Amino acid sequence: MNRFRMIVLAGSAAALLGSVPAAPVFAQDHGNWTLRQREDWLHDRIQRSRDDGSLDRVEFDRVKHDLGDLKHDEDRMRDHHDGQLTDNETTELEARLDNLAAKIHWLREDNFQKPW
C-alpha cells in the first residue's frame, strides 16, 4: 500500500473515531426507561430516603439540588434542538443519573452517626 493511501486511511479512521459519542466506561443498560421516568424514580427515592431518615437534611438538599440541576440542563438542551436530545447529550445525562443514583445509594448505605 502506498504512503498516500495509508495517510488517507489513517485520517479517515481518526475522523470516524472522533465522531463516535463518548460513553461511560461502565455503560449500563437502562432498559426502556426514559430519562424523565428515571428522574421521577430518583425524585421519589430521594423523598422516601428523607422520610425514612436514611438521608439527613444536608444530604437530601444536596441530592435534590443535583437532580434539579440535571433536569434544568436537560430542558436547556432540549430547547436547543426542538425538544430532542442528541445521542451525546442523552449519554451525558444518563451518566449523570447513574452517578446520582450511586450517590444516593451510598449515602443511604453509609448512614452512620458522624462523631462531629
Coordinates of all heavy atoms in Angstrom, one line a residue, residues 63-110:
V63 N -28.6 16.2 47.1 CA -29.0 15.4 46.0 C -30.2 15.9 45.3 O -30.4 15.8 44.1 CB -29.2 13.9 46.4 CG1 -27.9 13.3 46.8 CG2 -30.2 13.7 47.5
K64 N -31.1 16.6 46.0 CA -32.3 17.2 45.4 C -31.8 18.4 44.5 O -32.3 18.5 43.4 CB -33.2 17.8 46.5 CG -34.4 18.4 46.0 CD -35.6 17.5 46.1 CE -36.8 18.4 45.9 NZ -37.9 17.7 45.4
H65 N -30.8 19.1 44.9 CA -30.3 20.2 44.1 C -29.6 19.6 42.9 O -29.7 20.1 41.8 CB -29.3 21.0 44.9 CG -28.6 22.1 44.2 ND1 -29.2 23.3 43.9 CD2 -27.4 22.2 43.6 CE1 -28.4 24.0 43.2 NE2 -27.3 23.4 43.0
D66 N -28.8 18.5 43.0 CA -28.2 17.9 41.9 C -29.2 17.4 40.9 O -29.0 17.6 39.6 CB -27.3 16.7 42.4 CG -26.1 17.1 43.1 OD1 -25.7 18.3 43.1 OD2 -25.5 16.2 43.7
L67 N -30.3 16.8 41.3 CA -31.3 16.3 40.4 C -32.0 17.5 39.7 O -32.2 17.5 38.5 CB -32.4 15.5 41.1 CG -33.5 14.9 40.2 CD1 -32.9 14.0 39.1 CD2 -34.5 14.1 41.1
G68 N -32.2 18.6 40.4 CA -32.8 19.8 39.8 C -31.8 20.4 38.7 O -32.3 20.8 37.7
D69 N -30.5 20.4 39.0 CA -29.6 20.9 38.0 C -29.6 20.0 36.8 O -29.6 20.5 35.6 CB -28.2 20.9 38.6 CG -27.9 22.0 39.5 OD1 -28.7 22.9 39.6 OD2 -26.8 21.9 40.2
L70 N -29.7 18.7 37.0 CA -29.7 17.8 35.8 C -31.0 18.0 35.0 O -30.9 18.1 33.8 CB -29.7 16.4 36.3 CG -29.6 15.3 35.3 CD1 -28.7 14.2 35.9 CD2 -30.9 14.7 34.8
K71 N -32.2 18.2 35.6 CA -33.4 18.4 34.9 C -33.3 19.8 34.2 O -33.8 19.9 33.0 CB -34.6 18.4 35.9 CG -35.0 17.1 36.4 CD -36.2 17.2 37.3 CE -36.6 15.8 37.8 NZ -37.8 15.9 38.6
H72 N -32.7 20.8 34.8 CA -32.6 22.1 34.2 C -31.7 22.0 32.9 O -32.0 22.6 31.9 CB -32.0 23.1 35.2 CG -31.7 24.4 34.6 ND1 -32.7 25.3 34.3 CD2 -30.5 25.0 34.2 CE1 -32.1 26.4 33.7 NE2 -30.8 26.2 33.7
D73 N -30.6 21.3 33.1 CA -29.7 21.1 31.9 C -30.4 20.3 30.8 O -30.2 20.7 29.6 CB -28.4 20.4 32.4 CG -27.5 21.2 33.2 OD1 -27.8 22.4 33.3 OD2 -26.6 20.7 33.9
E74 N -31.2 19.3 31.1 CA -31.9 18.6 30.1 C -32.9 19.5 29.4 O -33.0 19.5 28.1 CB -32.6 17.4 30.7 CG -33.4 16.6 29.7 CD -34.3 15.5 30.3 OE1 -34.2 15.2 31.5 OE2 -35.0 14.9 29.5
D75 N -33.6 20.3 30.1 CA -34.6 21.2 29.5 C -33.9 22.2 28.6 O -34.3 22.5 27.5 CB -35.4 22.0 30.6 CG -36.3 21.1 31.3 OD1 -36.7 20.0 30.8 OD2 -36.8 21.5 32.4
R76 N -32.7 22.7 29.0 CA -32.0 23.6 28.2 C -31.5 23.0 26.9 O -31.6 23.5 25.8 CB -30.8 24.2 29.0 CG -29.9 25.2 28.3 CD -28.7 25.7 29.1 NE -28.0 24.6 29.8 CZ -27.1 23.8 29.2 NH1 -26.9 23.9 27.9 NH2 -26.5 22.8 29.8
M77 N -31.0 21.7 27.0 CA -30.5 21.0 25.9 C -31.7 20.7 24.9 O -31.5 20.9 23.7 CB -29.9 19.7 26.3 CG -28.6 19.8 27.0 SD -28.1 18.1 27.6 CE -26.6 18.5 28.5
R78 N -32.8 20.4 25.4 CA -34.0 20.1 24.6 C -34.4 21.4 23.9 O -34.9 21.3 22.7 CB -35.1 19.5 25.4 CG -34.9 18.1 25.8 CD -36.1 17.5 26.5 NE -35.9 16.2 27.0 CZ -36.0 15.1 26.3 NH1 -36.3 15.1 25.0 NH2 -35.8 13.9 26.9
D79 N -34.4 22.5 24.6 CA -34.7 23.8 23.9 C -33.9 24.1 22.7 O -34.4 24.7 21.8 CB -34.6 24.9 25.0 CG -35.7 24.9 26.0 OD1 -36.8 24.2 25.8 OD2 -35.6 25.6 27.0
H80 N -32.6 23.7 22.7 CA -31.7 23.9 21.6 C -32.0 23.1 20.4 O -31.5 23.3 19.3 CB -30.3 23.8 22.0 CG -29.8 24.9 22.8 ND1 -29.7 24.8 24.2 CD2 -29.4 26.1 22.5 CE1 -29.2 26.0 24.7 NE2 -29.0 26.8 23.6
H81 N -32.8 22.0 20.6 CA -33.0 21.0 19.5 C -34.5 20.7 19.3 O -34.8 19.5 19.0 CB -32.2 19.7 19.7 CG -30.8 19.9 20.0 ND1 -29.9 20.3 19.0 CD2 -30.0 19.8 21.1 CE1 -28.7 20.4 19.6 NE2 -28.7 20.1 20.8
D82 N -35.3 21.7 19.5 CA -36.8 21.5 19.3 C -37.3 20.3 20.1 O -38.1 19.5 19.6 CB -37.1 21.3 17.8 CG -36.7 22.5 16.9 OD1 -36.9 23.6 17.4 OD2 -36.3 22.3 15.8
G83 N -36.9 20.2 21.3 CA -37.5 19.2 22.2 C -36.7 17.8 22.2 O -37.1 16.9 22.9
Q84 N -35.7 17.7 21.3 CA -35.0 16.4 21.2 C -33.6 16.6 21.9 O -33.1 17.7 22.1 CB -34.8 16.1 19.7 CG -36.1 15.9 19.0 CD -36.9 14.7 19.6 OE1 -36.4 13.7 19.8 NE2 -38.2 15.0 19.7
L85 N -33.0 15.4 22.1 CA -31.6 15.4 22.6 C -30.7 14.7 21.6 O -31.2 13.8 20.9 CB -31.5 14.6 24.0 CG -32.2 15.3 25.2 CD1 -32.2 14.3 26.3 CD2 -31.6 16.6 25.5
T86 N -29.5 15.1 21.5 CA -28.6 14.4 20.7 C -28.1 13.1 21.4 O -28.4 13.0 22.6 CB -27.3 15.3 20.4 OG1 -26.6 15.5 21.6 CG2 -27.7 16.6 19.7
D87 N -27.5 12.2 20.7 CA -27.0 11.0 21.4 C -26.0 11.3 22.4 O -26.0 10.7 23.5 CB -26.4 10.0 20.3 CG -27.5 9.4 19.4 OD1 -28.7 9.5 19.7 OD2 -27.1 8.9 18.3
N88 N -25.1 12.3 22.2 CA -24.1 12.7 23.2 C -24.8 13.3 24.4 O -24.4 13.0 25.5 CB -23.1 13.7 22.6 CG -22.2 13.0 21.6 OD1 -22.0 11.8 21.6 ND2 -21.6 13.8 20.8
E89 N -25.8 14.1 24.2 CA -26.5 14.7 25.4 C -27.2 13.6 26.2 O -27.1 13.6 27.4 CB -27.5 15.7 24.9 CG -26.8 17.0 24.3 CD -27.8 17.9 23.6 OE1 -28.8 17.4 23.1 OE2 -27.4 19.1 23.4
T90 N -27.9 12.7 25.5 CA -28.5 11.6 26.2 C -27.5 10.8 27.0 O -27.8 10.5 28.2 CB -29.3 10.7 25.2 OG1 -30.2 11.5 24.5 CG2 -30.0 9.6 25.9
T91 N -26.4 10.5 26.4 CA -25.4 9.7 27.1 C -24.9 10.4 28.3 O -24.7 9.9 29.4 CB -24.2 9.4 26.1 OG1 -24.7 8.6 25.0 CG2 -23.1 8.6 26.8
E92 N -24.6 11.7 28.2 CA -24.1 12.6 29.3 C -25.2 12.6 30.4 O -24.8 12.4 31.6 CB -23.9 14.0 28.8 CG -23.5 14.9 30.0 CD -23.5 16.4 29.6 OE1 -23.4 16.7 28.4 OE2 -23.6 17.2 30.5
L93 N -26.4 12.8 30.1 CA -27.5 12.8 31.1 C -27.7 11.5 31.8 O -27.9 11.4 33.0 CB -28.8 13.4 30.5 CG -28.8 14.8 30.1 CD1 -30.0 15.2 29.3 CD2 -28.6 15.8 31.3
E94 N -27.6 10.4 31.0 CA -27.7 9.1 31.6 C -26.6 8.8 32.6 O -26.8 8.2 33.7 CB -27.8 8.0 30.5 CG -29.2 8.0 29.8 CD -29.2 7.0 28.7 OE1 -28.2 6.5 28.2 OE2 -30.4 6.7 28.3
A95 N -25.4 9.2 32.2 CA -24.2 9.0 33.1 C -24.4 9.8 34.4 O -24.1 9.3 35.5 CB -22.9 9.4 32.4
R96 N -24.9 11.0 34.3 CA -25.2 11.9 35.5 C -26.2 11.2 36.4 O -26.1 11.2 37.6 CB -25.5 13.3 35.1 CG -24.3 14.1 34.5 CD -24.7 15.4 34.0 NE -25.3 16.3 35.0 CZ -25.9 17.4 34.8 NH1 -25.9 17.9 33.5 NH2 -26.4 18.2 35.7
L97 N -27.3 10.7 35.7 CA -28.3 10.0 36.5 C -27.7 8.8 37.2 O -28.1 8.5 38.4 CB -29.5 9.6 35.6 CG -30.5 10.6 35.3 CD1 -31.5 10.2 34.2 CD2 -31.3 11.1 36.5
D98 N -26.9 8.0 36.5 CA -26.2 6.9 37.1 C -25.4 7.3 38.3 O -25.4 6.6 39.4 CB -25.3 6.1 36.1 CG -26.1 5.4 35.0 OD1 -27.3 5.1 35.2 OD2 -25.5 5.1 34.0
N99 N -24.6 8.4 38.2 CA -23.8 8.9 39.3 C -24.6 9.3 40.5 O -24.3 9.1 41.6 CB -22.9 10.0 38.8 CG -21.8 9.5 37.9 OD1 -21.4 8.3 37.9 ND2 -21.3 10.4 37.1
L100 N -25.7 10.0 40.2 CA -26.6 10.5 41.2 C -27.3 9.3 42.0 O -27.3 9.3 43.2 CB -27.7 11.4 40.7 CG -28.6 12.1 41.7 CD1 -27.8 12.8 42.8 CD2 -29.6 13.0 41.0
A101 N -27.7 8.3 41.2 CA -28.3 7.1 41.8 C -27.3 6.4 42.7 O -27.6 6.0 43.8 CB -28.8 6.2 40.8
A102 N -26.0 6.3 42.3 CA -25.0 5.7 43.1 C -24.7 6.5 44.3 O -24.5 6.0 45.4 CB -23.7 5.6 42.2
K103 N -24.7 7.9 44.2 CA -24.5 8.7 45.4 C -25.6 8.5 46.4 O -25.3 8.4 47.6 CB -24.5 10.2 44.9 CG -24.2 11.1 46.1 CD -24.4 12.6 45.7 CE -23.4 13.1 44.8 NZ -23.5 14.5 44.5
I104 N -26.9 8.5 45.9 CA -28.0 8.2 46.9 C -27.8 6.9 47.5 O -28.0 6.8 48.8 CB -29.3 8.4 46.1 CG1 -29.5 9.8 45.6 CG2 -30.5 7.9 47.0 CD1 -30.6 10.0 44.6
H105 N -27.5 5.9 46.8 CA -27.3 4.5 47.3 C -26.2 4.5 48.4 O -26.4 4.0 49.5 CB -27.0 3.5 46.2 CG -26.7 2.2 46.7 ND1 -27.6 1.3 47.1 CD2 -25.5 1.6 46.9 CE1 -27.1 0.2 47.5 NE2 -25.8 0.3 47.4
W106 N -25.1 5.2 48.1 CA -24.0 5.2 49.0 C -24.4 6.0 50.3 O -24.1 5.5 51.4 CB -22.8 5.8 48.4 CG -21.6 5.8 49.3 CD1 -20.7 4.8 49.4 CD2 -21.2 6.8 50.2 NE1 -19.8 5.1 50.4 CE2 -20.0 6.3 50.9 CE3 -21.7 8.1 50.5 CZ2 -19.4 7.1 51.8 CZ3 -21.0 8.8 51.5 CH2 -19.9 8.3 52.1
L107 N -25.1 7.1 50.1 CA -25.5 7.9 51.3 C -26.4 7.1 52.2 O -26.3 7.1 53.4 CB -26.2 9.2 50.9 CG -25.2 10.2 50.3 CD1 -26.1 11.4 49.7 CD2 -24.3 10.8 51.3
R108 N -27.4 6.3 51.6 CA -28.3 5.5 52.3 C -27.6 4.3 53.0 O -27.9 4.0 54.2 CB -29.4 5.0 51.4 CG -30.4 6.0 51.0 CD -31.4 5.4 50.1 NE -32.1 4.2 50.6 CZ -33.2 4.2 51.3 NH1 -33.8 5.3 51.5 NH2 -33.7 3.0 51.7
E109 N -26.7 3.7 52.3 CA -26.0 2.5 52.9 C -25.0 3.0 54.0 O -24.7 2.2 54.9 CB -25.2 1.8 51.8 CG -26.1 1.1 50.8 CD -27.0 0.0 51.5 OE1 -26.4 -0.8 52.3 OE2 -28.2 0.0 51.2
D110 N -24.5 4.2 53.8 CA -23.4 4.7 54.7 C -24.0 5.5 55.8 O -23.5 6.5 56.3 CB -22.3 5.4 54.0 CG -21.1 5.6 54.8 OD1 -20.7 4.6 55.5 OD2 -20.5 6.6 54.7

